[in-house]
């Protein structure tokens, strides 16, 4: 672990430039360029607010604001977009960069870090867009927003651990990448994002509670919608699982690292 930390520090400029280039490549030949980083999530959040609140008239129990459900959904999507982007991109990061790995000598651990860094920048832009739309709706962020960095950290650790584990496996068993996309879609619907947790039948609530992302998403929703602190005790579940996944993923990565380039 220490050797990887030292290697990342030595190649910090490579990691930073890769993140910048990754973001720039999304908007190559675009006249508005990096403005799309703000405009895309801003449009997405605005559409949710208009369609759910004004057209479908969706209401959230216990929340007086007519935009309550739109805010609830947007908060959950902010958590899920960070998690899913890191997991999905990490699961194919070594295969996608096979040519780079064969031509240039650099610590392979840099690639998952670049993926996580890019996802964090994208998520930060989404967060800024969310704050703008929430303000336009008359919903202002409160002091509970101070807990958001903790939630982002837990989400990132969990996603990186899972994504790195799947990424290494995918090099040797290519079916893993295909299955991951399907599982992430199913996982999304098993997490209370587009529906309130209290509508889940009583007999299934214990199963939903085993879902680590249930607690993470609930934390985002409490902070951004209710201006309440997240349930820190419930976050111990995804946090503990994150450390287990990180340990297993790094152990697997260390053992398979020497063979990965030959397989690719």
């Amino acid at each position: 672990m220490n050797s990887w930390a030292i290697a990342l520090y030595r190649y910090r400029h490579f990691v930073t430039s890769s993140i910048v280039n990754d973001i720039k490549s999304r908007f190559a030949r675009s006249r508005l360029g990096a403005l799309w980083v703000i405009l895309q999530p801003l449009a997405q959040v605005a559409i949710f607010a208009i369609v759910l609140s004004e057209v479908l008239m969706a209401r959230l129990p216990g929340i007086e604001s007519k935009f309550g459900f739109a805010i609830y959904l947007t908060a959950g999507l902010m958590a899920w977009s960070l998690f899913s982007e890191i997991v999905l991109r990490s699961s194919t990061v070594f295969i996608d960069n096979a040519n780079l790995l064969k031509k240039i000598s650099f610590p392979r651990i840099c690639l998952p870090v670049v993926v996580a860094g890019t996802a964090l920048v994208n998520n930060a832009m989404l967060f800024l867009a969310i704050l703008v739309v929430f303000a336009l709706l008359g919903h202002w962020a409160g002091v509970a927003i101070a807990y958001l960095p903790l939630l982002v950290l837990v989400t990132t650790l969990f996603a990186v651990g899972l994504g790195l584990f799947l990424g290494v496996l995918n090099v040797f068993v290519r079916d893993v990448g295909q299955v991951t996309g399907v599982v992430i879609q199913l996982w999304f619907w098993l997490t209370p994002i587009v529906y309130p947790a209290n509508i889940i039948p009583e007999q299934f609530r214990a199963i939903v509670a085993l879902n680590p992302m249930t607690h993470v998403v609930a934390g985002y929703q409490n902070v951004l919608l209710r201006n309440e602190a997240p349930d820190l005790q419930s976050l111990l579940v995804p946090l503990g699982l994150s450390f287990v996944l990180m340990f297993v993923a790094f152990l697997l990565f260390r053992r398979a690292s020497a063979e990965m380039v030959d397989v690719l």
Side-chain angles (χ1 to χ4, degrees):
M1 293 289 290
N2 290 335
S3 61
W4 286 337
I6 294 172
L8 285 173
Y9 178 76
R10 289 177 177 174
Y11 282 80
R12 61 190 183 279
H13 299 299
F14 170 78
V15 172
T16 304
S17 61
S18 296
I19 293 173
V20 172
N21 290 333
D22 195 3
I23 295 173
K24 284 183 177 179
S25 65
R26 293 174 52 196
F27 309 106
R29 299 183 181 180
S30 171
R31 294 187 179 227
L32 294 179
L35 278 177
W36 284 113
V37 176
I38 294 286
L39 294 177
Q40 283 181 338
L42 186 63
Q44 182 184 31
V45 175
I47 289 171
F48 283 140
I50 295 172
V51 173
L52 292 174
S53 304
E54 300 293 344
V55 179
L56 298 180
M57 302 296 289
R59 295 292 182 267
L60 195 65
I63 302 297
E64 295 182 2
S65 173
K66 68 176 182 178
F67 300 108
F69 190 78
I71 298 170
Y72 174 89
L73 174 61
T74 303
L77 287 175
M78 179 180 168
W80 189 262
S81 64
L82 176 61
F83 170 73
S84 61
E85 181 178 355
I86 293 176
V87 172
L88 290 174
R89 292 194 60 195
S90 295
S91 67
T92 61
V93 67
F94 299 114
I95 296 174
D96 294 340
N97 293 277
N99 291 333
L100 186 64
L101 288 170
K102 293 177 181 178
K103 295 178 181 178
I104 303 176
S105 177
F106 66 94
R108 297 176 181 87
I109 195 63
C110 289
L111 294 178
V113 174
V114 170
V115 168
T118 303
L120 285 170
V121 172
N122 292 336
N123 201 248
M125 295 301 101
L126 174 61
F127 174 61
L128 292 177
I130 285 174
L131 290 182
V132 171
V133 175
F134 283 6
L136 293 175
L137 299 178
H139 181 80
W140 300 92
V143 294
I145 203 171
Y147 287 97
L148 200 58
L150 173 62
L151 294 169
V152 171
L153 177 63
V154 173
T155 307
T156 303
L157 289 176
F158 182 45
V160 169
L162 180 58
L164 180 59
F165 176 76
L166 295 173
V168 175
L169 287 183
N170 197 29
V171 172
F172 301 94
V173 184
R174 298 299 171 90
D175 294 332
V176 171
Q178 304 298 325
V179 173
T180 299
V182 176
V183 171
I184 289 295
Q185 291 184 34
L186 177 61
W187 198 341
F188 173 82
W189 291 104
L190 293 177
T191 306
I193 297 175
V194 297
Y195 54 86
N198 56 14
I199 71 169
I200 301 173
E202 190 69 33
Q203 63 269 30
F204 297 118
R205 291 186 182 181
I207 298 176
V208 173
L210 294 175
N211 177 1
M213 286 305 295
T214 295
H215 309 292
V216 175
V217 167
Y220 275 82
Q221 292 163 340
N222 283 338
V223 167
L224 294 176
L225 173 62
R226 300 182 176 90
N227 191 27
E228 297 176 356
D231 184 353
L232 298 180
Q233 186 173 359
S234 69
L235 290 178
L236 293 177
V237 175
L239 184 61
L241 187 56
S242 298
F243 288 125
V244 172
L245 281 171
M246 292 285 282
F247 176 78
V248 174
F250 279 118
L251 185 64
L252 179 63
F253 179 76
R254 172 176 289 180
R255 293 188 175 183
S257 183
E259 303 176 10
M260 286 174 59
V261 175
D262 295 332
V263 175
L264 290 170

